[in-house]
Amino acid sequence: MQQTVVIFLLAFSSATQALDNGLMRTPPMGWLAWERFRCDIDCENDPQNCISEVLFRDMADRLAEDGWRELGYVYVNIDDCWASKSRDTQGRLQADPKRFPGGIAKLARYVHDRGLKLGIYGDLGTYTCGGYPGTTLDKIETDAQTFAEWEVDMLKLDGCYSNATDQEQGYPRMSKALNATGRPIGYSCSWPAYQGGLPPKINYTLLGEICNLWRNYGDIEDSWDSILNIVDWFAKNQDILQPAAGPGRWNDPDMLVIGDFGLSMDQSRSQMALWAIMAAPLFMSNDLRTLNSGARAILQNKAAIAINQDPLGIQGRCLIKESNGIEVFWRPLSNKASALVFFSRRTDMPYRYQTSLKVLDYTPGSYKVYDVFMEKTMPTLKDTTEFVVSINPSGVVMWYVVPSAEWQEQPKFHQAIVKADSFIV
């Protein structure tokens, strides 16, 4: 059954058109300001945390110097509240002169000099969500050209203070305008989130032709309830959402809040695992200057990143929802590999979940298993062998699974070959 599903998904993926700007063939990775820093513009009293060029230079330094860039975290993304309250005399957007005295072009050079990319925020409406100048239909080409001249590498286009008609015209038009500049600019559309995220209002075939990624649902918050709400919506609608994703076109469940204030370590591992399984963009929204070692280890986990960045580009799905609060997610990967996530919604104690690869629709044979967060290789498993995984409350066990015959060499993320505590045959 598993092979049949993979073949079907591959056929569907190849038939779906993607935006032909050649960008984001795997989910983009980087850092984004909004969830952690919001619209803090009080630079007089909070100079290190306000939305200013200082903040984005600091984050660029951290990405470049602390090992993030080499793992794929290359975008430094400005969100709302960067602009002046008015356009310049030629009708162009301009950065707030006090908070960005060097302008966006100078900040882009700073970011590029560190081997990184700069993203910026706009809004297809009269105002941004924070009340700054929006990009109305008559300003689309002007703003696209401005971003290109600033050497911006990505645009997130929000949808506050707009309507369905303007969105229907404006999102495709901005795609054409960005392409017409001749500069490769990744394009993130918030269109689905403003229209309920589902057909018939949302045409995901069209979205894949005009956008590299899109927000489907509401904003994430720094809380476990928010994570669960997003995961539930994506799982409930996975038959619609999953086929829409692929190289160059991604569903975006919003930012990683790992390292902020609302998640435990187990919950942080859960968000990382589920976002990896969903082939989601990995945009951290935290303070990289003060990030604790536990959060850093989760976000820099090479196996989780490799699963997220798998070039096949097929989004995973929820296979099983047990009445005991355990859920199993699965994602097909390149070279006949796959990823499994055993996820616990329980709040009482670690739960010992028993199953087998045969029950999870794996084809007959033997398999090598690598535990992503234990960073250990397990004993070889036959598809019929029953096993038990011990899953912490609100936690996960995440596996990289590959047929033994295909295990020709250790995965790039492999670090040790010993038995893991979470695995019992």
Side-chain angles (χ1 to χ4, degrees), residues 4 14 22 52 54 87 94 120 138 160 225 244 266 274 329 370 420:
T4 303
S14 62
S52 71
V54 172
R87 290 174 176 263
Q94 55 184 342
I120 203 164
D138 61 312
C160 282
D225 285 345
D266 276 299
L274 293 168
F329 292 76
Y370 180 84

Side-chain angles (χ1 to χ4, degrees), residues 5-313:
V5 172
V6 172
I7 291 169
F8 170 77
L9 291 175
L10 283 171
F12 190 99
S13 176
S14 62
T16 304
Q17 296 299 312
L19 176 61
D20 63 352
N21 60 9
L23 301 175
M24 300 180 175
R25 305 303 293 173
T26 60
M29 300 171 61
W31 183 89
L32 201 156
W34 181 255
E35 212 306 307
R36 175 61 181 82
F37 295 95
R38 300 295 178 104
C39 195
D40 178 359
I41 58 172
D42 187 4
C43 291
E44 182 176 345
N45 296 303
D46 195 14
Q48 296 304 309
N49 299 307
C50 66
I51 302 303
S52 71
E53 61 183 35
V54 172
L55 177 66
F56 297 100
R57 286 201 308 262
D58 282 355
M59 295 307 161
D61 290 344
R62 299 280 56 77
L63 289 179
E65 297 172 19
D66 295 346
W68 301 99
R69 178 187 59 203
E70 290 74 16
L71 293 170
Y73 292 99
V74 296
Y75 284 93
V76 180
N77 283 12
I78 305 169
D79 209 272
D80 203 352
C81 308
W82 61 270
S84 174
K85 284 288 188 176
S86 60
R87 290 174 176 263
D88 67 15
T89 56
Q90 295 178 298
R92 297 176 301 190
L93 292 170
Q94 55 184 342
D96 182 279
K98 291 184 178 180
R99 293 183 285 115
F100 294 86
I104 302 301
K106 184 176 180 180
L107 179 58
R109 288 194 297 273
Y110 187 93
V111 169
H112 293 158
D113 286 346
R114 282 146 186 81
L116 302 167
K117 299 180 179 182
L118 183 69
I120 203 164
Y121 170 98
D123 186 284
L124 188 67
T126 52
Y127 298 98
T128 71
C129 300
Y132 292 81
T135 300
T136 49
L137 295 180
D138 61 312
K139 293 294 186 182
I140 286 176
E141 287 74 19
T142 298
D143 290 355
Q145 188 59 44
T146 298
F147 298 144
E149 290 173 2
W150 289 344
E151 297 190 336
V152 164
D153 303 291
M154 176 179 168
L155 170 64
K156 173 185 172 182
L157 193 61
D158 214 336
C160 282
Y161 300 101
S162 64
N163 56 54
T165 301
D166 286 349
Q167 290 167 13
E168 187 176 356
Q169 297 179 46
Y171 279 103
R173 186 168 160 183
M174 178 58 85
S175 180
K176 293 179 181 178
L178 291 173
N179 285 343
T181 67
R183 179 171 181 78
I185 299 177
Y187 184 31
S188 172
C189 306
S190 295
W191 190 6
Y194 284 88
Q195 298 298 324
L198 298 171
K201 289 187 176 180
I202 297 302
N203 181 337
Y204 279 104
T205 301
L206 172 62
L207 270 175
E209 294 172 354
I210 66 170
C211 310
N212 293 114
L213 62 154
W214 46 79
R215 286 284 311 285
N216 311 71
Y217 195 57
D219 288 357
I220 200 169
E221 302 289 340
D222 184 15
S223 75
W224 183 235
D225 285 345
S226 178
I227 302 292
L228 290 178
N229 190 29
I230 291 170
V231 170
D232 284 344
W233 188 84
F234 272 80
K236 178 182 178 181
N237 299 296
Q238 64 184 8
D239 290 343
I240 294 168
L241 302 174
Q242 191 233 18
R249 53 182 203 279
W250 308 104
N251 294 303
D252 182 5
D254 212 2
M255 295 160 276
L256 295 168
V257 294
I258 298 163
D260 289 328
F261 311 101
L263 304 185
S264 68
M265 283 295 102
D266 276 299
Q267 291 164 353
S268 297
R269 280 186 283 271
S270 293
Q271 190 190 16
M272 188 69 179
L274 293 168
W275 263 234
I277 280 283
M278 290 192 290
L282 300 182
F283 288 122
M284 305 177 288
S285 191
N286 50 25
D287 192 339
L288 297 174
R289 301 167 297 192
T290 59
L291 197 66
N292 65 63
S293 59
R296 184 188 304 274
I298 293 168
L299 290 163
Q300 293 191 345
N301 184 287
K302 293 180 180 179
I305 292 171
I307 289 167
N308 173 264
Q309 294 290 295
D310 184 77
L312 200 58

Side-chain angles (χ1 to χ4, degrees), residues 370-382:
Y370 180 84
D371 188 302
V372 168
F373 292 112
M374 295 294 291
E375 299 185 345
K376 297 177 181 179
T377 298
M378 309 303 182
T380 300
L381 265 184
K382 291 184 179 180

